[in-house]
Amino acid sequence: MSLVESKEIPLGEKLPEFTLKDPYNKEVEISKEMGENGLLVVITCNHCPYAIAVWNRVKEIANFAKKLGINTVAVNPNIHPNYPEDSPAKMREKIEDEGLEFPYLVDETQEFAKALQAQCTPDIYLFDKDAKLYYHGRIDDNWQDESKVKKEELKDALMLLFTGKKPPKKQYPSMGCSIKWLDTVVG
């Protein structure tokens, strides 16, 4: 497990046009998941301790965002033979066990993650209703212990977007395990 921070990306970048499949093999066009006010994209997986630590927060934030007209999509780029716990079969289990109410999609070729310049799991992207990047940062100030969170940056960004205000000036990078790129050799 190597700790990696998300890459700084200029705000205003467009959401790439992609169609991915869910783990049941149903095609999902990412842009069609856009809510009235935006779309939250979470690059994540099943096995990373950082992603595991925030799954409940992702679900809570997705419910909060839905009330603001902002939909959520989770995407797993770690479809790698050396990480069977991130396989589509295990993703189906995660959907069932967690009761996910938003799409959890398979990025089998990793092209979507590359188009977003994703680096880690979780890597968080909030796009406005025009599919322009509004926020790219962490969920909050304590990924390890939810009870010690003092600043909920993603929720704050969701509210700023919903109320038509400018994005937060300071956006702290998300951090987590590096994406398990297909061309990565693991011994």
Side-chain angles (χ1 to χ4, degrees):
M1 167 180 84
S2 61
L3 177 63
V4 175
E5 286 188 345
S6 59
K7 183 177 182 177
E8 190 172 328
I9 300 168
L11 299 183
E13 291 284 311
K14 285 290 271 182
L15 173 67
E17 289 283 338
F18 268 85
T19 299
L20 299 175
K21 291 183 180 178
D22 70 11
Y24 303 96
N25 221 26
K26 177 186 168 213
E27 288 192 348
V28 176
E29 195 173 329
I30 301 285
S31 62
K32 292 220 166 121
E33 294 302 311
M34 181 71 65
E36 178 185 339
N37 294 314
L39 180 67
L40 176 61
V41 177
V42 181
I43 301 295
T44 191
C45 68
N46 292 351
H47 90 278
C48 166
Y50 300 93
I52 291 168
V54 298
W55 260 111
N56 280 336
R57 282 177 259 184
V58 169
K59 290 187 329 188
E60 290 169 12
I61 288 167
N63 288 333
F64 176 77
K66 186 105 178 136
K67 294 174 187 163
L68 303 177
I70 300 166
N71 290 341
T72 300
V73 172
V75 177
N76 178 5
N78 284 352
I79 309 304
H80 192 295
N82 293 327
Y83 297 90
E85 58 273 19
D86 286 329
S87 69
K90 293 292 186 182
M91 289 173 66
R92 289 191 293 272
E93 288 177 23
K94 181 72 147 178
I95 291 167
E96 299 295 320
D97 293 346
E98 297 285 342
L100 298 183
E101 296 181 11
F102 50 84
Y104 184 23
L105 306 175
V106 178
D107 186 8
E108 193 167 13
T109 65
Q110 302 179 323
E111 291 302 316
F112 182 68
K114 286 178 183 174
L116 287 175
Q117 301 179 55
Q119 300 295 306
C120 56
T121 53
D123 210 341
I124 312 294
Y125 302 81
L126 176 59
F127 293 91
D128 66 18
K129 65 183 177 189
D130 298 320
K132 291 182 180 173
L133 186 63
Y134 181 86
Y135 177 82
H136 179 235
R138 64 188 185 186
I139 293 173
D140 55 45
D141 64 357
N142 195 322
W143 72 267
Q144 292 173 301
D145 187 347
E146 190 173 1
S147 70
K148 293 183 180 174
V149 170
K150 292 185 177 33
K151 185 99 174 90
E152 296 180 283
E153 287 107 343
L154 179 54
K155 266 192 179 172
D156 292 346
L158 286 162
M159 281 306 299
L160 289 170
L161 176 59
F162 176 70
T163 57
K165 297 196 170 88
K166 291 186 179 183
K169 286 186 180 170
K170 183 67 179 162
Q171 299 189 12
Y172 297 94
S174 186
M175 63 180 177
C177 297
S178 61
I179 292 173
K180 308 310 178 222
W181 301 110
L182 289 169
D183 57 4
T184 302
V185 177
V186 178

